[in-house]
Amino acid sequence: MEGKRRSNDRSYGTLGIEAIPVKDPMDDEPPVMKGLANRATVILGRAFKSLESVVRRSPLLARVYEELFYSRILHRELDMSRLPSGSRVLVVGSGHLPMTALHLARHGHEVTAVDNDPHATASASSFVARVTPYMNVRFGTADGVDADTSAYDAVWVTFNVTPKDKVLERMLQTLSEGAQVVFRNPRGMVTRLYAPVDADCLGLMPHRRRHLFGKESVMLVKGSCGGPFELSETEGGMTLACLQCGLQGVIARCPEDPVLNALGLRPGKTVVSISRQPFGGPLLASVDGRKVAIDAQVAASILLV
Amino acid sequence: MGQEILLVGPPNVGKSVLFNRLTGLDVSMANYPGTTVEFKKGEAKAAGKRFTLIDVPGTYDLNASNEAERVAVDMLSGSPAGAVFVLDAKNLESSVHLLLQVLDKGIPTVAAVNRSDLVKGGVDVERLSAETGIAAIRTVAVEGEGIPQLEDLIVGLLDGRVSPARPLFRGWNEAERIAGRVRATPGEGGRRERWGDLMVRPLPGIPLAFLILILIFAFVVGLGMGLRQYVLMPFFEAFVFPPLTAAVEATVPEGTLREILVGEYGFFIKSIEWPLGLVLPYIISFYLALSILEDSGYLPRLAVLVDGVFRRMGLSGSNIIPFLLGYGCAVPAIMSTRNMNDKRKRVTVAAVVCLSVPCVAQSGAFIALLAEHSLLLVALLFAFSLLAAFVSGAVISRLLGVRRDMMVQEIPDLLLPDMRMLGKKLLLRVRHFLKDGVIPMVVIIGAASVLYETGVLLLVSDLMEPLVTGWLGLPKEASTPLILGVFRRELAVLPLLDMGLGTLQLMTASVIALLYIPCIAVIGVLAKEFGLKVSAAMLLATLAASFLVGGVIAQAGMLLF
Ligand SMILES: Nc1nc2c(ncn2[C@@H]2O[C@H](COP(=O)(O)OP(=O)(O)OP(=O)(O)O)[C@@H](O)[C@H]2O)c(=O)[nH]1
Ligand SMILES: [Mg+2]
């Protein structure tokens, strides 16, 4: 993502171009790269699955694996989400070794874990029955793309789920107001291997926690920042955060914040994106001739027409 | 005390400039939003009538949740005789929106549309009057245009001839409608606007920022050293010291007393040389540089660029302003955190400034101490100060659990600083230093020399010897600056000047002085702003940090060399 941001800066051009881009900024990547990244996602995903199916044979190995890869991440995700205990949680993409589901259950949540691979769900449930038989986890085979999540307080989408953007879109459509989605994204160099989901473009204010080894967790709350943004065809989830430098857009929805509104960021106003800082720093926009520096996360909550 | 008139409006519209025009006072003004964080009162006269004018901190909205807004609402809920609302000709919509909120408070109000030089086609103030039901005029505060008319309007307020005008409608739709009627097309920014935008693009903005900061550092150090060596010291040596010495020699018999007064390290000599020869040059050079930065509108742009670094400290780039002010003096730096809405964040900024940002007087002392040895040491110390600021910021914000602020900030236009204004600001700062800085310094130097002569300081030195000599590797007398440093930060450094310290000792002593507890004035402000507990904690923390880090440097240095 960082890489993409910077290339946007280079394409800074003349102000006041009329065109309002509604396309997914992912399209800017050369198709070869995109294909490679997708292929890598699939291959690495498989590799992890087979690693997990080996590890699950030994409870000790599993414990080490959990400590190594999951404990910290989950701890921070729970800290970020502040879910009250006893919440109904859906884990999408639980895999052979359902560490995320187990961890959430251990924190007192009522967990349902699904995977689109029936082998994975079968071995996961046998693993849980063997190691921690009293755990409050239900398993099922389902695909995230057509799951109905309206009954859940939160959804966890694990790192290897594909196509993650489609799954997330579905989650955000079916979840009820105030429910959360936590998903794991690659960051930094790792984005060259796995294609990340551009969290800023989902129209909700993302909260992030960065982890070691090029991972980050992103949390979205449905209905935050001034209302649920259904990702309709025409809106396409275009936010000020994804507006290319030098282009302009018209604000469709904006959080009702006195300072933001006073600076001219209100529905119906035309904004021009002027420049953007690397590493997720603020971006500079101009509204009615007034220059405003806006934090990237805030900009991600400003939806354009 | 006459009746009270409030000066209200959004941030950065020129309220403080108007205030200075009307009262003849000098309150600080600068080209970034949020310069005035506490209301300022001043006496003024219009058509022979005396009244009290109050410069209210600018706020975008009466429902915003920060200190400036709270102060503004408090003032409006009092019982002023009237209010002068200052609108921004360039940003009429949001000005009108706020005006409608203010009118709703039911106070007799008149309007001044300021910065009307920046719009072409002008502002239709008659229309504004008709729409809002209050008298309105055009002003250009920096040029003094429209001030007489404004005074006439104020006389009307004072005579009770203006009745409050409650608006029928409020909100953005109404504000947009009125602003549309009054219509003012913003002037073209042209080249200056392009430059302003370039400065916030990572390229060339970031390299440019480095260049600008290095140039400023060189300017401050160079001008300061130059003033000291070629202007102030020669002046004192030629015209002040000889007559002073002669006068003392004529009245005081030869002996210890005469030595105490005018010897090489005599009280008269030091109490002129230190404040006026050593610190004053840097007050001049630093505040000149800071005023140029403030008025040019570069600071908010710098804030955008450093946001990436500041967010690691749980802060946002806008917090660079208290830091820069801290390089002048920690007191205004701490005061300027008032427009932040989170107390823990304010404490973080205040702690970092107290711990690792040297004030200008102390910086002057550091330069005097270290530059003779090598300019590299000066650079090293300031690099250490930056590092310490970053580390302490990151640690303290974690400890306090500070949640990051999201930057939403107006970036004002670049302006060419006005020479007259710069001169005025500089004069103000120098006068402030002469009044509030020099006298305490002289008193403390005098007290110290008495304590020294009576042997009290020696006694304390003996007591502190294990710490100072054993742990810090400094000579026994180095306890003196530690004691004096409680009173003024630069006095934690200046007594070291004549001790003939080696490189390692210089570095150790400087680091200790840098991290050492803030001066008494700052402790007072801390206690006032954050309470006794927080200020006591800061005292302990800075004390511990300075002895710990200083000691580690000394011990490691002794092991290595
Ligand atoms: N061009 C132009 N500039 C002005 C005018 N009045 C003030 N300024 C500039 O605007 C900037 C802000 O002025 P201040 O007086 O500090 O603004 P303020 O309203 O007190 O701002 P806060 O204290 O932040 O609320 C300064 O750089 C002034 O030089 C004007 O009429 N025309
Ligand atoms: Mg002001």
Side-chain angles (χ1 to χ4, degrees):
Chain A
M1 231 170 80
E2 310 288 19
K4 196 153 357 99
R5 289 242 164 103
R6 250 170 271 137
S7 70
N8 274 350
D9 281 333
R10 248 175 264 122
S11 66
Y12 174 89
T14 47
L15 297 182
I17 293 173
E18 287 299 332
I20 300 165
V22 282
K23 60 171 187 175
D24 183 350
M26 278 285 284
D27 291 349
D28 295 347
E29 292 273 290
V32 183
M33 281 302 290
K34 205 176 153 188
L36 270 182
N38 278 346
R39 183 118 22 101
T41 314
V42 173
I43 294 172
L44 286 172
R46 275 201 207 123
F48 257 97
K49 260 192 182 165
S50 34
L51 175 66
E52 290 191 349
S53 64
V54 173
V55 170
R56 63 176 286 276
R57 288 169 214 284
S58 143
L60 180 68
L61 265 186
R63 192 77 215 169
V64 171
Y65 185 75
E66 177 177 2
E67 279 304 313
L68 222 57
F69 290 108
Y70 284 96
S71 274
R72 257 183 89 75
I73 294 182
L74 277 159
H75 182 74
R76 293 160 130 198
E77 286 172 349
L78 280 170
D79 178 54
M80 171 163 69
S81 74
R82 291 170 196 274
L83 267 186
S85 101
S87 298
R88 287 154 303 168
V89 182
L90 177 71
V91 177
V92 177
S94 54
H96 285 275
L97 204 59
M99 288 308 174
T100 302
L102 277 179
H103 197 98
L104 289 168
R106 229 176 270 141
H107 275 79
H109 300 304
E110 215 175 280
V111 181
T112 307
V114 296
D115 203 297
N116 58 3
D117 175 3
H119 298 294
T121 39
S123 66
S125 69
S126 74
F127 172 77
V128 170
R130 204 171 75 234
V131 182
T132 47
Y134 305 110
M135 211 48 102
N136 194 5
V137 185
R138 285 190 307 155
F139 286 93
T141 304
D143 200 308
V145 182
D146 38 49
D148 179 3
T149 55
S150 52
Y152 296 94
D153 302 315
V155 177
W156 252 255
V157 178
T158 62
F159 192 76
N160 291 312
V161 169
T162 56
K164 208 184 285 168
D165 48 347
K166 293 272 166 354
V167 172
L168 284 172
E169 205 170 306
R170 172 78 187 169
M171 306 285 112
L172 287 173
Q173 272 166 8
T174 57
L175 274 173
S176 46
E177 293 277 296
Q180 309 170 351
V181 178
V182 176
F183 69 95
R184 302 186 187 133
N185 231 0
R187 66 178 182 91
M189 290 298 285
V190 180
T191 54
R192 294 188 191 280
L193 285 177
Y194 295 97
V197 173
D198 194 344
D200 290 333
C201 290
L202 292 169
L204 296 169
M205 192 186 289
H207 298 256
R208 295 191 161 83
R209 288 289 157 92
R210 283 150 187 244
H211 312 299
L212 293 177
F213 311 120
K215 273 192 191 180
E216 69 174 358
S217 296
V218 183
M219 182 184 80
L220 303 167
V221 180
K222 178 152 175 186
S224 61
C225 0
F229 297 151
E230 317 84 48
L231 303 173
S232 69
E233 281 295 306
T234 46
E235 286 178 340
M238 182 69 187
T239 67
L240 181 57
C242 342
L243 186 63
Q244 263 187 37
C245 296
L247 296 190
Q248 64 178 41
V250 176
I251 297 178
R253 265 175 270 178
C254 179
E256 285 203 5
D257 173 74
V259 175
L260 217 52
N261 296 162
L263 291 174
L265 294 153
R266 304 192 292 276
K269 289 278 176 187
T270 303
V271 273
V272 184
S273 164
I274 295 176
S275 67
R276 209 189 288 251
Q277 300 302 312
F279 312 115
L283 57 91
L284 188 70
S286 156
V287 198
D288 283 349
R290 182 186 257 196
K291 303 281 155 64
V292 188
I294 308 166
D295 188 277
Q297 276 193 40
V298 177
S301 70
I302 298 175
L303 194 69
L304 304 180
V305 178
Chain B
M1 272 265 277
Q3 292 165 282
E4 289 185 339
I5 299 286
L6 306 179
L7 203 51
V8 219
N12 215 37
V13 286
K15 294 181 299 298
S16 296
V17 179
L18 278 176
F19 179 87
N20 293 348
R21 290 258 171 203
L22 289 167
T23 58
L25 289 179
D26 297 298
V27 309
S28 64
M29 54 225 171
N31 189 13
Y32 53 81
T35 317
T36 309
V37 281
E38 238 194 347
F39 66 88
K40 297 266 163 52
K41 276 188 187 195
E43 295 297 317
K45 216 151 73 173
K49 277 188 183 297
R50 302 187 62 83
F51 63 96
T52 306
L53 191 64
I54 302 179
D55 185 11
V56 178
T59 173
Y60 289 109
D61 193 293
L62 292 187
N63 302 315
S65 57
N66 57 33
E67 180 79 8
E69 171 268 334
R70 206 185 53 72
V71 173
V73 172
D74 279 358
M75 311 269 1
L76 286 168
S77 314
S79 52
V84 174
F85 189 91
V86 190
L87 291 97
D88 186 351
K90 253 195 117 176
N91 298 300
L92 268 180
E93 274 179 12
S94 55
S95 298
V96 171
H97 184 256
L98 181 64
L99 171 62
L100 295 176
Q101 289 187 336
V102 169
L103 286 180
D104 203 42
K105 295 271 169 195
I107 298 168
T109 305
V110 295
V113 183
N114 194 38
R115 307 218 299 164
S116 49
D117 54 326
L118 297 177
V119 289
K120 17 170 231 255
V123 185
D124 189 351
V125 285
E126 289 76 33
R127 192 84 219 199
L128 182 65
S129 269
E131 290 285 352
T132 55
I134 60 171
I137 51 152
R138 258 181 297 268
T139 57
V140 181
V142 277
E143 307 288 340
E145 240 181 88
I147 302 295
Q149 290 90 314
L150 185 58
E151 284 178 338
D152 289 344
L153 289 185
I154 292 176
V155 172
L157 287 174
L158 293 172
D159 290 346
R161 277 187 275 124
V162 181
S163 46
R166 279 193 193 264
L168 279 179
F169 302 103
R170 281 185 298 148
W172 285 110
N173 288 339
E174 180 71 354
E176 281 171 16
R177 190 187 64 81
I178 295 177
R181 290 284 178 87
V182 178
R183 228 186 320 261
T185 32
E188 285 301 309
R191 194 175 337 148
R192 209 184 288 149
E193 176 169 348
R194 269 207 305 284
W195 267 98
D197 290 352
L198 274 183
M199 282 177 167
V200 268
R201 283 177 52 194
L203 266 180
I206 291 173
L208 204 62
F210 272 104
L211 193 71
I212 289 175
L213 290 179
I214 288 171
L215 280 179
I216 288 171
F217 183 76
F219 173 83
V220 172
V221 175
L223 181 65
M225 284 174 78
L227 275 176
R228 165 177 154 75
Q229 260 172 14
Y230 301 110
V231 181
L232 291 169
M233 287 316 286
F235 173 79
F236 293 138
E237 271 154 18
F239 301 107
V240 180
F241 294 157
L244 201 66
T245 320
V248 172
E249 275 169 1
T251 47
V252 181
E254 209 168 318
T256 350
L257 185 59
R258 192 195 278 184
E259 276 303 298
I260 296 174
L261 292 181
V262 292
E264 201 186 338
Y265 301 113
F267 166 66
F268 279 151
I269 303 296
K270 285 294 159 232
S271 61
I272 290 173
E273 188 194 332
W274 282 357
L276 300 181
L278 259 172
V279 176
L280 184 64
Y282 296 100
I283 299 264
I284 295 175
S285 65
F286 173 79
Y287 281 114
L288 195 57
L290 185 70
S291 304
I292 294 176
L293 272 184
E294 277 185 344
D295 286 0
S296 63
Y298 184 63
L299 286 185
R301 292 178 165 77
L302 192 59
V304 172
L305 292 174
V306 298
D307 191 66
V309 178
F310 273 63
R311 65 170 59 203
R312 306 269 181 272
M313 293 192 266
L315 302 173
S316 94
S318 325
N319 302 134
I320 188 154
I321 288 171
F323 279 88
L324 283 180
L325 293 178
Y327 280 96
C329 172
V331 174
I334 294 167
M335 298 303 285
S336 78
T337 62
R338 282 181 148 223
N339 62 358
M340 297 162 60
N341 46 19
D342 179 353
K343 183 169 173 208
R344 282 175 298 179
K345 217 163 285 169
R346 295 186 61 199
V347 173
T348 308
V349 173
V352 173
V353 169
C354 289
L355 186 71
S356 28
V357 176
C359 71
V360 59
Q362 198 184 26
S363 300
F366 277 136
I367 296 166
L369 178 70
L370 301 175
E372 270 179 38
H373 214 76
S374 134
L375 264 179
L376 201 68
L377 277 185
V378 180
L380 204 64
L381 184 73
F382 281 97
F384 175 82
S385 136
L386 287 183
L387 181 75
F390 182 72
V391 173
S392 57
V395 170
I396 296 168
S397 65
R398 298 265 142 85
L399 283 181
L400 295 181
V402 170
R403 295 210 153 209
R404 192 172 68 84
D405 246 351
M406 305 218 199
M407 180 188 251
V408 174
Q409 201 190 16
E410 178 172 6
I411 307 293
D413 304 325
L414 281 186
L415 290 176
L416 218 56
D418 179 61
M419 278 303 151
R420 251 175 326 144
M421 205 75 102
L422 284 184
K424 238 176 141 180
K425 275 185 155 184
L426 188 62
L427 205 66
L428 192 70
R429 255 109 185 212
V430 168
R431 208 161 48 187
H432 183 258
F433 171 70
L434 292 182
K435 217 173 85 215
D436 297 345
V438 172
I439 291 159
M441 211 167 144
V442 170
V443 170
I444 294 157
I445 295 171
S449 54
V450 170
L451 287 182
Y452 186 79
E453 286 306 317
T454 50
V456 177
L457 274 184
L458 266 171
L459 200 75
V460 180
S461 297
D462 283 339
L463 274 176
M464 288 175 65
E465 189 172 356
L467 182 68
V468 173
T469 312
W471 170 238
L472 301 174
L474 295 174
K476 203 171 84 177
E477 315 85 76
S479 60
T480 307
L482 290 180
I483 295 161
L484 299 188
V486 178
F487 300 98
R488 286 195 56 89
R489 262 186 134 166
E490 67 275 17
L491 291 181
V493 182
L494 288 173
L496 297 166
L497 273 175
D498 311 309
M499 288 185 190
L501 302 179
T503 311
L504 178 63
Q505 287 178 320
L506 280 176
M507 213 52 217
T508 316
S510 305
V511 166
I512 294 169
L514 173 72
L515 300 177
Y516 198 58
I517 55 178
C519 72
I520 271 191
V522 176
I523 297 171
V525 172
L526 286 177
K528 189 172 133 242
E529 295 290 308
F530 305 119
L532 283 178
K533 233 165 61 188
V534 173
S535 42
M538 278 197 207
L539 282 190
L540 280 181
T542 47
L543 206 61
S546 66
F547 284 118
L548 200 72
V549 177
V552 168
I553 290 179
Q555 298 298 330
M558 280 190 275
L559 272 181
L560 289 174
F561 305 114

